[in-house]
Amino acid sequence: MTKHSGQVGLEHLVYAILHEDGITYDPPKLLSPAIEAKITPKTNSETQYADDKPVETATTLGEIDVELQTQDVPLQSQSDLLGHAIDEKGVLVENGKDNAPYVAVGFKSKKGDNSYRYVWLLKGKFQEIEEDYKTKEDKVSFATPTLKGTFVTRDDDNWKFTADENNGMDSDVKDKWFDKVYEPNIDTTPLTATTTPEKGATGVAAGSSVSFVFNKAVNQYTVNDSSVFLLKADGTSVDSTIVISTDAKTVSLTPKNALEAGNYVAIATKAIKSDNGATLANNIAIDFTV
């Protein structure tokens, strides 16, 4: 029998108020036992036509509709999520000028294989809660509130973090998922490179290779004869073999034939990226003389 790993549960629903800096939060608070969460991203697509046919499509993320069905929404949570006040006697005061703050929402969901998926939605506002009161009947009928909100991308363009505990999720991250809104550990160091020969070198041997040594591993799929190449002084391309080192930090151009005496320029472009998407600040061009 096939074992499916779809979502079969929802637990530990929390929220955290986003600060005015647009990136930091208050400590998370538990909302209420959760029943259902529905997340509906909206996308906007535009297609460019040329020569009577579509030639390019661009898609951008729009608003994200979120619906949370819970067992209850305590008054303190309503105050936090909707911008209402609670007076000194414990009464929730709802004013027409109240402004709901931006918040993050986190939860975990059990999958069919009994592992958990962990989620943070990063920036959204909730609407006033629809309430349904009715008299007691012969049979039990539970009234469960639904929180409806609109989420958007945060100032850094992130809108959601998701991790599966059985698919590479760090155990420390899992243990602390609800302690604070998760922030990814992404290396933002820009891509840089040193070269052999150095820029302006003279007397370079005719059988030499040209090497770009990067400060971090590059994505091999971004390295090709359009992103790194060797030219004669007149702009003529020199037929070369591209070799990437085993650690993916060195990219070498080896001419297929010995270089003739003269001036050359080797170029590595900003199309080359690291594994995490870092690029060169500018194209690198080194001139040398054989």
Side-chain angles (χ1 to χ4, degrees):
M1 180 182 292
T2 302
K3 191 174 183 179
H4 297 286
S5 58
Q7 307 310 122
V8 297
L10 181 64
E11 301 177 33
H12 208 89
L13 184 61
V14 299
Y15 64 92
I17 296 175
L18 178 63
H19 295 165
E20 290 185 2
D21 63 9
I23 202 74
T24 60
Y25 300 84
D26 283 351
K29 295 180 180 180
L30 192 63
L31 178 53
S32 177
I35 298 173
E36 183 178 6
K38 183 179 181 181
I39 304 167
T40 310
K42 298 177 181 178
T43 57
N44 302 310
S45 296
E46 294 292 339
T47 301
Q48 182 183 43
Y49 287 81
D51 292 333
D52 295 329
K53 62 182 179 181
V55 295
E56 186 172 354
T57 297
T59 301
T60 58
L61 179 68
E63 297 176 343
I64 303 102
D65 290 336
V66 174
E67 289 190 16
L68 304 174
Q69 187 178 9
T70 62
Q71 184 185 51
D72 186 24
V73 182
L75 295 186
Q76 184 59 58
S77 298
Q78 293 188 43
S79 173
D80 291 340
L81 294 173
L82 303 173
H84 301 321
I86 296 180
D87 73 8
E88 60 186 14
K89 297 187 177 183
V91 176
L92 182 70
V93 180
E94 302 180 49
N95 189 284
K97 294 183 179 180
D98 290 340
N99 186 30
Y102 282 113
V103 298
V105 170
F107 57 86
K108 65 178 182 179
S109 175
K110 181 175 282 190
K111 301 165 65 178
D113 59 4
N114 288 322
S115 67
Y116 280 93
R117 170 165 293 175
Y118 291 75
V119 175
W120 271 110
L121 302 172
L122 302 179
K123 183 180 180 180
K125 288 188 177 185
F126 284 99
Q127 306 168 16
E128 293 294 331
I129 301 170
E130 295 180 5
E131 298 174 310
D132 184 13
Y133 298 102
K134 59 182 179 180
T135 190
K136 184 178 178 181
E137 300 175 345
D138 290 338
K139 64 178 182 178
V140 176
S141 178
F142 292 102
T144 55
T146 298
L147 279 165
K148 295 182 180 180
T150 300
F151 279 65
V152 294
T153 56
R154 206 169 56 177
D155 292 356
D156 58 1
D157 291 330
N158 292 324
W159 72 275
K160 181 184 179 186
F161 298 139
T162 307
D164 287 336
E165 66 174 348
N166 64 347
N167 191 24
M169 185 182 189
D170 186 274
S171 60
D172 187 58
V173 172
K174 181 180 72 172
D175 292 341
K176 298 179 180 178
W177 190 258
F178 299 108
D179 292 350
K180 62 179 182 179
V181 177
Y182 178 75
E183 282 302 323
N185 183 20
I186 298 176
D187 181 6
T188 59
T189 307
L191 198 61
T192 60
T194 58
T195 62
T196 302
E198 295 180 350
K199 184 178 179 67
T202 59
V204 176
S208 298
S209 295
V210 178
S211 295
F212 296 87
V213 182
F214 293 91
N215 61 325
K216 59 178 72 177
V218 297
N219 183 331
Q220 63 178 336
Y221 298 106
T222 66
V223 179
N224 51 55
D225 56 12
S226 296
S227 60
V228 59
F229 46 87
L230 180 61
L231 303 173
K232 294 181 180 179
D234 63 2
T236 303
S237 178
V238 177
D239 195 12
S240 304
T241 299
I242 299 173
V243 178
I244 303 174
S245 63
T246 54
D247 65 1
K249 289 186 175 182
T250 300
V251 176
S252 299
L253 288 167
T254 302
K256 294 183 178 180
N257 299 298
L259 297 175
E260 300 174 353
N263 297 322
Y264 294 85
V265 59
I267 298 174
T269 73
K270 293 190 292 182
I272 297 176
K273 297 182 179 180
S274 72
D275 282 336
N276 68 354
T279 62
L280 295 165
N282 296 289
N283 293 344
I284 297 175
I286 57 166
D287 58 283
F288 61 92
T289 303
V290 173

